Amino acid sequence: MHSLYRSEVEAADALKQVYDKARSEIAKVIVGQEDVVKSVLIAVFSNGHCLLVGVPGLAKTLLVQTVARVLDLNFNRIQFTPDLMPSDIIGSEVLGEDRNFKFIHGPVFSNIILADEINRTPPKTQAALLEAMQEKAVTASGVTYKLAQPFFVLATQNPIEQEGTYPLPEAQLDRFMFNVSLTYPTFAEELQVVKNTTGTQVAELHKVLNAEQIIYFQQLVRNIPVTDHVLEYAVKLAAKTRPQGELATPLVKRLLNWGAGPRASQFLVLGAKCHAVISGKYSPDVEDVQAVAKAILRHRIVRSYQAEAEGLSADQIIEQLF
């Protein structure tokens, strides 16, 4: 790996500085939502994708646009609708003037994709995007086209309206590193939002990073050492969610029907490494795993009828596993 810094410690310090800078730039436009911004940036540096779940009007699109501007990346928004076709995402073959077919790239050929309301579109179209997320490539008429790097999907899901939606199956939810829930702003934050957005003032944003540096930092995050103790803690945490597994407690057997797969363990370790660096540490500890655990596990566990009857949320169950 070509190093931009003298040592990995220096590079880790640089990543923390860049992260802090990016956060303060984003805060010029996005009021509050600190945890959401943090999760999105951790996902970028861990090379994972994010699912944002929240009611309309919470600035999900604005957040993604702002992140793209601050990180100096290309950005495309795809509005998912029931009649959207896979070719509307990946592109299609057209007959050129020279009587030969040529491939016209779809909107997925960009660094950051905002997949807006991904649960509005049928499974066939969802699958086209999910294949691109997994393979970082697109196949059309037998030819494979590589996607731009870094490649990062932020999908939004609206939890309110269930009519005319196609919820993502568990196996597809598993492709997302984080499931981030957006909540309503506090009164003070909403006041600030309205002040900022009902005048003529436009915030000036400075670019903090480019694509090449992001790829470098993604590599750096993978290189961060992790102790066996923390590694075992992360894998055990994921394994504890499996009611059929050997580590399941009577509580889990009662509250969960289904647990997280091995991808969760991988993301817990990667997320913890990144969380450690942006917190100014050079190696993750158990707290770093816990800090990213809810966003990683909440969409990978299926609550039992009993858990729902007792009104226990996924987050409350995950907390009990710490």
Side-chain angles (χ1 to χ4, degrees):
M1 176 170 90
H2 163 66
S3 183
L4 307 169
Y5 301 95
R6 282 199 296 275
S7 69
E8 290 205 333
V9 167
E10 198 180 297
D13 292 340
L15 174 52
K16 180 178 176 359
Q17 281 171 343
V18 157
Y19 167 79
D20 291 339
K21 247 194 229 152
R23 273 193 73 156
S24 59
E25 286 296 318
I26 292 167
K28 289 180 185 174
V29 177
I30 303 292
V31 178
Q33 306 285 16
E34 275 107 14
D35 291 347
V36 178
V37 173
K38 186 179 193 175
S39 298
V40 168
L41 290 173
I42 288 178
V44 169
F45 291 123
S46 307
N47 202 2
H49 307 286
C50 247
L51 184 65
L52 302 175
V53 180
V55 298
L58 293 183
K60 296 187 285 278
T61 310
L62 182 64
L63 169 72
V64 182
Q65 281 173 326
T66 308
V67 169
R69 279 169 63 194
V70 168
L71 299 182
D72 196 13
L73 296 172
N74 304 331
F75 160 77
N76 268 332
R77 176 170 177 273
I78 307 171
Q79 179 65 52
F80 281 75
T81 56
D83 58 355
L84 197 75
M85 300 294 284
S87 58
D88 296 331
I89 295 176
I90 61 177
S92 53
E93 299 260 301
V94 297
L95 194 57
E97 288 161 8
D98 57 358
R99 318 298 289 153
N100 284 328
F101 281 104
K102 63 173 190 280
F103 180 67
I104 302 292
H105 288 42
V108 77
F109 288 88
S110 192
N111 297 118
I112 296 188
I113 306 296
L114 174 63
D116 227 345
E117 297 200 278
I118 192 169
N119 52 341
R120 287 238 163 273
T121 204
K124 185 178 175 180
T125 307
Q126 287 174 355
L129 178 70
L130 291 151
E131 182 207 5
M133 284 165 57
Q134 192 58 29
E135 313 301 331
K136 308 271 165 106
V138 160
T139 307
S141 310
V143 184
T144 301
Y145 301 91
K146 280 255 170 272
L147 294 173
Q149 289 298 335
F151 176 68
F152 178 60
V153 172
L154 272 153
T156 69
Q157 222 170 267
N158 173 352
I160 304 179
E161 298 165 272
Q162 295 311 326
E163 300 87 47
T165 62
Y166 305 83
L168 285 173
E170 263 70 32
Q172 300 191 341
L173 282 173
D174 199 33
R175 306 272 168 96
F176 290 97
M177 175 173 185
F178 286 144
N179 171 336
V180 184
S181 29
L182 281 88
T183 49
Y184 287 112
T186 62
F187 180 73
E189 285 169 352
E190 193 163 346
L191 214 54
Q192 191 58 49
V193 167
V194 174
K195 244 185 223 166
N196 292 0
T197 52
T198 52
T200 50
Q201 205 81 30
V202 178
E204 178 123 350
L205 290 181
H206 301 289
K207 296 186 182 349
V208 173
L209 262 184
N210 59 28
E212 192 192 358
Q213 290 165 308
I214 290 169
I215 293 167
Y216 172 82
F217 284 131
Q218 285 175 342
Q219 200 55 50
L220 175 80
V221 166
R222 293 188 93 83
N223 276 351
I224 285 166
V226 56
T227 62
D228 288 350
H229 161 67
V230 173
L231 203 58
E232 277 171 29
Y233 180 81
V235 176
K236 267 191 187 140
L237 186 58
K240 271 191 211 163
T241 64
R242 301 168 195 155
Q244 304 82 3
E246 50 192 324
L247 294 176
T249 59
L251 183 82
V252 164
K253 290 185 171 144
R254 191 170 64 88
L255 296 178
L256 295 181
N257 286 344
W258 201 251
R263 260 203 199 115
S265 308
Q266 295 167 330
F267 282 140
L268 282 167
V269 171
L270 268 177
K273 285 180 174 194
C274 188
H275 190 273
V277 174
I278 63 174
S279 312
K281 295 181 281 195
Y282 301 119
S283 179
D285 49 34
V286 167
E287 285 76 39
D288 294 304
V289 178
Q290 290 176 350
V292 295
K294 285 184 195 168
I296 289 174
L297 295 173
R298 68 167 65 109
H299 56 303
R300 292 183 162 87
I301 59 178
V302 180
R303 289 175 304 159
S304 68
Y305 173 72
Q306 252 168 319
E308 291 186 26
E310 288 173 34
L312 285 174
S313 70
D315 287 12
Q316 287 168 319
I317 297 171
I318 295 162
E319 249 172 54
Q320 296 186 2
L321 301 176
F322 292 170

